[in-house]
Amino acid sequence: MNGSEFVPLSLVPMLTGIFVAVACALPGNFLVLRRQALIGDAISHVVLPGIVVAFLLTGVVSTWPMLLGAAGAAIVAVVAIEAVRRLGKIEAGAAMGVIFTAMFAGGVLLLEQSDTSSVHLDVEHALYGNLESLIWLDATGWSSLWDLEALAGLPVELPRMAITLVVVALFIAIFWRPLKISTFDEGFARTIGMQTNLLGLALVIMAAIAAVAAFDAVGSIIVIAMFICPPAAARLMTNRLEHQVGWSVAFAALAAIIGYVLAGYGPLWIGFADSVSAAGMIATVSGLILGITALIGPHRLRGAAAPTA
Amino acid sequence: MTVELAAVAGQSTSDINRAQSPLAIRGMTVSYGQKPAVFSVDMTVEPGKMTAIIGPNGAGKSTLLKAALGILKPLAGTTTVYGKSVSEQRHRIAYVPQRASVDWDFPTRVIDVVLMGLYPQLGLLGRVRPMHRAKANDCLIRVGMQDFATRQIGQLSGGQQQRVFLARALAQDADLYLLDEPFAGVDAATEKAIIGVLKSLRDAGKTVVAVHHDLSTVAEYFDNVFLINTRRVAEGPVASTFVTQTLQDAYGGRLAGAQMEALRLAPLDASTS
């Protein structure tokens, strides 16, 4: 494939996919270790009603109202989950399951009842996103990367996801030690003066920012997968958190690239005419990577079953 | 009745000592639900001594420590450390949680856990320098774990994990060491190693407080005892406080006469056993 075809058609969706995958996988490492992996799942579901409400209020599909609506819904969900957990005295996973399915279902109903036929907002879009539609019309080839006029025509999702990735990565880098210490031993972390509750909340907010920013471009399926699959696969590759995060970034990027290519060309290779959803394929590939590491990862056996070396 | 009298008797002296006490707790009350786990407990730890917190299961021993440190939010009560609030004195406190309270499957190495004790020095982004590594390694030597520095913590035995926790506390260079069940589920060699380290801390003028389960070793290991059963039962030197009467008060009927005998304590009288 040459540049004049690749750059306008595939470069932007592929990069966006990579940024989404990495931005979700980074906080996912800590969420998985804190046994809060479902939070990512919850957030990516609850943004739907938030986005629909934002659309009903403003009447347009535009970035900022949608992001605000989604963020508002995420906050409502976090508070509701905590309320159900504490008042009902039930396990966090169950509380999340109750809240996010209820809110997502509410969002679907709202979406069906409201007149969104004129705009690009439907249930399918919410699930799969629309990675393939991120076409860079102004690009003519690799040289367009240095052409300011062409760069101005980049789909807005790409720079938005890039900024999100930078914000999430900076948060993880700056608060690395408190995140690591409080994830391992919260009691000890408090005795040395760490605000563990605030830190936990900040981590969830970072995950929410990644999920909301990713939602529009890629839908909720890929977000759910990326919070869990790359970090879980990475955990099976190493016994050091520093290396685990590195592996998770590599796995996330790999899933995005392989998934995108397989979705676009895989069906053609085996004789089908149409391509399949890139978001769905990326999520599937990340699951396959997890499956492979579970079979052959060097640190898949731990505790008593681990070989002592 | 005797319990309340003991508390009142202890009050006057303990208030005088409060400013110097490494750990002074007043009116600590904690509840997990309807029933209080710890009710209106006062405690005044004597400096430079090893104090055991003892009491039956569910008596609130760990809860008292956690509430004093602010890990749990108490309903009421205040804690001072060397006369000032806990938040002002964090650098003088080293806390060793129960080993079972953390996930040892966490992807990190022994040396990294010890380095966590140096976080107050390192801060958010401070570089780990050779002097920090040397310090951490020195702490591992003191607990006999230097050969395991690069092991993943999940590959250690329970006793080894407990020693790593102690090494992290040593790295904090504190004046007050608070340990929650440091001997729970550890092998005999580890128990000996840990008590050796704790006694050397005490001999260096540090104060050690440990939640302790094994009544048979109290007299051998500790200078003072603090007996609790939701309420404070008694506190003071082992010789005068770790006696049949206070143990009966703390444990109720749960300690049989035979156990008392094993502790070489005189049974209260024939009718109570």
Side-chain angles (χ1 to χ4, degrees), chain B residues 52-203:
Chain B
I53 299 178
I54 56 177
N57 286 330
K61 305 184 292 289
S62 302
T63 304
L64 178 67
L65 267 195
K66 286 183 192 161
L69 285 168
I71 298 170
L72 289 176
K73 205 171 146 38
L75 289 176
T78 59
T79 308
T80 56
V81 172
Y82 296 102
K84 292 185 188 158
S85 74
V86 172
S87 55
E88 287 172 280
Q89 301 279 42
R90 292 204 184 282
H91 60 286
R92 299 178 76 178
I93 306 170
Y95 168 65
V96 179
Q98 275 181 31
R99 185 169 54 86
S101 70
V102 307
D103 177 11
W104 290 91
D105 197 25
F106 192 84
T108 198
R109 301 172 305 173
V110 166
I111 189 81
D112 299 319
V113 173
V114 182
L115 282 168
M116 288 179 189
L118 294 175
Y119 175 77
Q121 290 175 40
L122 289 166
L124 275 186
L125 300 169
R127 255 190 54 210
V128 177
R129 295 176 187 284
M131 59 170 265
H132 297 117
R133 292 196 183 283
K135 165 103 189 165
N137 203 50
D138 182 51
C139 295
L140 282 175
I141 290 170
R142 286 166 74 184
V143 299
M145 287 293 291
Q146 67 275 19
D147 296 338
F148 297 84
T150 57
R151 281 280 186 92
Q152 199 263 329
I153 53 173
Q155 297 169 356
L156 306 178
S157 72
Q160 291 169 331
Q161 290 171 345
Q162 190 68 57
R163 284 196 252 174
V164 172
F165 258 11
L166 182 58
R168 180 179 69 181
L170 292 175
Q172 290 181 268
D173 257 338
D175 294 315
L176 170 63
Y177 290 80
L178 303 169
L179 303 96
D180 198 345
E181 304 245 10
F183 306 114
V186 306
D187 51 284
T190 294
E191 182 152 340
K192 218 175 139 203
I194 291 176
I195 200 66
V197 170
L198 296 183
K199 284 189 167 165
S200 73
L201 286 172
R202 185 227 11 227
D203 296 343

Side-chain angles (χ1 to χ4, degrees), chain A residues 240-299:
Chain A
R240 291 185 65 183
L241 185 58
E242 291 77 6
H243 300 171
Q244 178 188 320
V245 170
W247 277 106
S248 75
V249 169
F251 284 149
L254 197 66
I257 295 167
I258 294 177
Y260 182 80
V261 172
L262 276 185
Y265 303 97
L268 300 178
W269 294 337
I270 55 171
F272 289 96
D274 298 317
S275 57
V276 297
S277 155
M281 187 55 90
I282 292 171
T284 306
V285 170
S286 76
L288 285 175
I289 290 173
L290 176 56
I292 292 167
T293 56
L295 289 175
I296 60 168
H299 296 283

Side-chain angles (χ1 to χ4, degrees), chain A residues 118-273:
Chain A
S118 60
V119 295
H120 191 61
L121 187 61
D122 51 54
V123 174
E124 204 172 308
H125 182 211
L127 284 175
Y128 310 134
N130 212 347
L131 205 49
E132 297 86 343
S133 72
L134 303 178
I135 299 165
W136 188 11
L137 290 169
D138 301 289
T140 52
W142 289 108
S143 60
S144 299
L145 289 174
W146 290 270
D147 181 353
L148 283 178
E149 219 168 294
L151 283 174
L154 264 180
V156 66
E157 285 83 354
L158 182 63
R160 190 200 296 161
M161 235 19 256
I163 292 167
T164 305
L165 175 58
V166 168
V167 169
V168 171
L170 274 179
F171 170 78
I172 302 276
I174 291 171
F175 292 100
W176 177 262
R177 278 186 194 141
L179 282 170
K180 180 177 175 180
I181 293 174
S182 67
T183 300
F184 171 59
D185 189 345
E186 192 179 1
F188 170 79
R190 285 199 194 181
T191 63
I192 59 172
M194 283 178 187
Q195 302 290 324
T196 55
N197 285 339
L198 268 182
L199 201 61
L201 185 65
L203 177 66
V204 172
I205 288 173
M206 282 300 140
I209 289 174
V212 169
F215 182 82
D216 181 42
V218 300
S220 57
I221 288 181
I222 186 175
V223 174
I224 295 164
M226 288 303 150
F227 272 123
I228 299 176
C229 291
R235 177 64 189 93
L236 305 177
M237 298 301 292
T238 172
N239 270 332
R240 291 185 65 183
L241 185 58
E242 291 77 6
H243 300 171
Q244 178 188 320
V245 170
W247 277 106
S248 75
V249 169
F251 284 149
L254 197 66
I257 295 167
I258 294 177
Y260 182 80
V261 172
L262 276 185
Y265 303 97
L268 300 178
W269 294 337
I270 55 171
F272 289 96

